[in-house]
Structure formats: structure tokens, C-alpha cells
Amino acid sequence: MRKLCSLRWLGSAALALSLLGCGAPREPVALHERNAVPDNLSQWHLVNVTNGTLALNERVIPYDLNTALFTDYAHKLRTVWMPEGTSAGYGDAHFDYPVGTIISKTFYYPLAEDGSVLRTDDYSRDFAENGLDLSNVKLIETRILVKRTDGWQALPYVWNEAQTDAVLEIAGEAMSLQLVNKAGNREAFTYVVPDANQCAGCHADNHTQKAVRPIGPRARHLNKHYEYAAGSENQLVYWQQMGYLSNLPDLAQVPRNVNYRDTSATLDERARSYLDINCGHCHNPSGPADTSGLMLYSAEHDMRKLGVCKPPVAAGTGSGDRLFAIVPGSPEDSILNFRVESTDPGAMMPELGRSLVHEEGAALLDAWIASMPGNCS
């Protein structure tokens, strides 16, 4: 995997000892009580700022997704940690994570020379030998999900300007940034850190139970190879080897989404993977958008429920005055494309997590719908 292939510390707990310097004392990962969460990310001891890098602690392992949720072109470092002697139970739809599991996602941008942030898919400058190179990146936020006895707790931490620690911001945060693309064009935007309730809202993919659950680290998203220190390995197999996953079936039986950028996959597979991770946590039969009747999660195969010739439940600004969610052959007439390409808070989808249009994702959905035969006459 291009993102983390330069991190030689990924596959071994012994190598992880070097992250804090030779012979330096190292605090173990700390599991704080729900009502006593620390004000600073550093108190969890998941990641540590040392020698100009953001390094992972022992038994904190990174992971990646086949297709990731779009967040204003931010790069992301994802990690998982579980208490010694515990493991997640495999499930096709959800893993049964043990109490004490901590999942983190650090959002950051590569830096331009003038301090602006870069819009790029190149991760080669992000990493030093033993971690995230803080001279080349700007840390924005780290979101934590902690599994408690009564369910998951979502906690947003915002990195300080000095890039030495992140502070708990229950109410969220907004920051003005300049995004520079490879052509040198600049785009001002507001990066929004969601508040704790918004985190919980997106992660509660069952609207009836309202239970917070991880979205990304599920079988179909994790089923891919990853460049660990000892070499390339399927992530699910590696989790099993680390003692983090039990009852893993044969990989041939495990669902797998594709990378939406992978042109060797079909256009339908790529578009469905993109919609699944970006929209499926709400647009599923038990999700917050269940009343819309639009089902964009991976298991849906009814074309009407996927939006083909489906009229909106409610017209108005959210429909862009278009008549159907998807009009085969006509992305310009499809509500789905209008909402994905909008930045109007009253119309755009997803509602949270972005201020910018994901141009590559929008182009994929345009091509997907343009390729569909038929019409809505």
C-alpha cells in the first residue's frame, strides 16, 4: 500500500519500542473511564510526538480501507488497539469488538512550503523512518472511538498550533485553510471538526437502536493487503496473527469492496464501493436516512432502491428541481449527482464531513450513471 510502505515499524512490537527513542521510558496505552476522559490526546498514549514524528505506541497497529470516506482531501492515519488477551469476533457486517478497544483516526494534510495545505494523493513525504514526519504535514484532528461496557464513546481532539498535542473539543472546531492543488491553484475552505454528538450521529448506523459503531474497520473495507514491516499481508489475516481477530473464515468467503480508483474493477463495483463508504452508513434499511427509501449500502441490489427512476420523498432545494435520484444515462438530471456536487448545506450529501466537492468521486458517479441503459419515461 503506497501510504505507509516507508514505515518500517508497522509489523513488530519490538520495533515499536524504538518509537520513543533508544532506552526512553514508554507509557503503555491508557484506557480512561467514560466520565474521566483526559483533556489531551497524549494522555491516551496511543500516539506520541517525539523527535519530530508522530509515532504509534506498542500494539497500536495501523490499518487502511479499500475505499475511504472523503473528508475535504485530508490524509488519514487510522489505528486500532485492544487490551491484552482480547480480540474482536469476526462478522461479515460488523465485528464484535471487545470492551476497551480504542480506534483512532488522525486527519492531516501535507504541507506546502508557504504553510498552505496540499491537495494530493501522494503520501511519500508524509512519513519519516519511524512515523508521521511533522516537518512535512499539518495535523488537524484525531477522532477516538472507545468501546465501553455500555457502548462506544466518540471523542474529537484538535491539534494545537505547535503540533505538540491535541486537545479535547467536545463542541467541535472550525478552521480556515488554503488548499493548493498540483497546478498551484488555491481554494479557501473551512475544515469542520464535528462535535461529539455529530460523531455519534454518523456512527449510529442503526436509527432504531441509536448505537454508535465503527464504520470503516469492517470486513469488506479491511479485506486488502497492507505493507507491514515483515512484508505485505492481508489486514484481516494480520489482525488474526496479532490476536486482534477471532473466527476469521477463509478469505474467499469474506466480502470485499474495491478501491474506487482501481480501473481494473468494473465501473459498477467502483461506484458502489464509493457510495457504500460515503453514504451507506445512513442510507441503509435501519440507518438515519431510512425514510428516504434510497439504499446506498453495499448489500442493496434492487435498482429502484438504489435510486434508478426513484422520485424523492420530498422535493425542494435538496432535489435541485430534478425528478429522480438516478436517471439512467443522464447524470445532469439525477438528484444523486446534484447533491454530491453541491456545497449548499441544505442540499449537499453527505451532510457532514466536507466543505468541498470531491471532484474525483463526483466524476466517478457521473460516469457510472452515464453508462446506465434505459430511461425514466
Side-chain angles (χ1 to χ4, degrees):
M1 185 192 72
R2 70 182 188 279
K3 293 185 180 180
L4 297 173
C5 60
S6 63
L7 295 180
R8 303 181 186 277
W9 41 268
L10 298 185
S12 164
L15 284 174
L17 294 174
S18 68
L19 297 180
L20 300 182
C22 296
R26 179 179 45 81
E27 295 284 345
V29 172
L31 184 58
H32 301 272
E33 297 297 326
R34 176 183 284 276
N35 296 322
V37 296
D39 290 331
N40 296 97
L41 178 66
S42 59
Q43 293 171 269
W44 291 94
H45 304 299
L46 290 168
V47 293
N48 305 278
V49 175
T50 180
N51 299 325
T53 66
L54 182 71
L56 275 59
N57 206 342
E58 184 178 3
R59 298 184 63 253
V60 177
I61 63 173
Y63 67 89
D64 195 29
L65 309 180
N66 280 307
T67 289
L69 179 73
F70 173 72
T71 313
D72 285 342
Y73 293 100
H75 289 198
K76 300 168 187 178
L77 175 62
R78 303 170 181 84
T79 74
V80 61
W81 175 88
M82 298 179 200
E84 194 83 47
T86 67
S87 66
Y90 176 86
D92 281 349
H94 306 280
F95 291 171
D96 183 13
Y97 285 96
V99 171
T101 298
I102 305 176
I103 294 171
S104 80
K105 183 161 60 171
T106 296
F107 298 70
Y108 67 94
Y109 288 93
L111 275 174
E113 291 183 0
D114 65 356
S116 301
V117 297
L118 295 175
R119 172 182 160 179
T120 176
D121 294 321
D122 182 8
Y123 283 73
S124 62
R125 292 178 61 251
D126 296 2
F127 299 98
E129 186 70 13
N130 288 328
L132 209 57
D133 187 345
L134 298 183
S135 66
N136 286 331
V137 305
K138 179 179 178 61
L139 303 174
I140 303 294
E141 59 163 322
T142 296
R143 301 178 193 174
I144 285 182
L145 280 177
V146 188
K147 180 68 177 293
R148 308 294 191 182
T149 55
D150 59 348
W152 291 90
Q153 181 180 22
L155 300 166
Y157 286 83
V158 177
W159 283 88
N160 60 24
E161 194 61 33
Q163 304 281 271
T164 55
D165 207 346
V167 177
L168 181 65
E169 295 289 356
I170 295 295
E173 181 66 274
M175 55 193 77
S176 298
L177 297 173
Q178 284 271 343
L179 191 66
V180 183
N181 66 16
K182 60 183 177 182
N185 299 321
R186 295 174 176 272
E187 185 172 10
F189 73 105
T190 301
Y191 183 100
V192 177
V193 178
D195 62 43
N197 288 332
Q198 289 172 321
C199 290
C202 280
H203 282 271
D205 62 352
N206 187 306
H207 194 51
T208 301
Q209 297 176 357
K210 299 188 183 302
V212 173
R213 289 189 291 201
I215 295 172
R218 298 177 179 178
R220 65 186 182 273
H221 304 308
L222 292 171
N223 188 7
K224 61 171 290 184
H225 271 65
Y226 191 102
E227 292 291 339
Y228 297 101
S232 180
E233 181 62 89
N234 180 278
Q235 291 185 122
L236 298 173
V237 172
Y238 186 76
W239 282 34
Q240 183 182 56
Q241 293 170 349
M242 287 287 291
Y244 276 14
L245 186 61
S246 59
N247 303 317
L248 175 66
D250 186 278
L251 288 180
Q253 302 173 22
V254 177
R256 177 182 175 271
N257 279 10
V258 303
N259 182 335
Y260 86 97
R261 294 179 178 276
D262 182 5
T263 55
S264 69
T266 68
L267 189 57
D268 184 68
E269 288 172 330
R270 294 166 59 204
R272 291 301 309 276
S273 289
Y274 184 85
L275 291 170
D276 184 33
I277 192 66
N278 283 281
C279 313
H281 51 284
C282 285
H283 285 273
N284 67 76
S286 58
D290 58 348
T291 57
S292 71
L294 184 63
M295 302 291 111
L296 300 176
Y297 72 126
S298 62
E300 185 58 68
H301 298 291
D302 184 320
M303 296 304 290
R304 178 78 167 188
K305 292 181 180 178
L306 277 169
V308 174
C309 298
K310 179 192 174 304
V313 171
T317 58
S319 69
D321 295 324
R322 302 178 185 188
L323 300 179
F324 303 104
I326 291 176
V327 179
S330 300
E332 67 277 6
D333 295 319
S334 301
I335 298 171
L336 178 68
N337 303 73
F338 168 73
R339 303 198 76 171
V340 167
E341 296 167 11
S342 175
T343 56
D344 179 350
M348 71 180 192
M349 285 291 174
E351 295 174 310
L352 299 173
R354 73 173 179 91
S355 300
L356 302 172
V357 175
H358 187 199
E359 295 177 8
E360 295 80 3
L364 170 66
L365 296 178
D366 279 356
W368 179 54
I369 292 175
S371 72
M372 291 181 179
N375 57 64
C376 296
S377 299

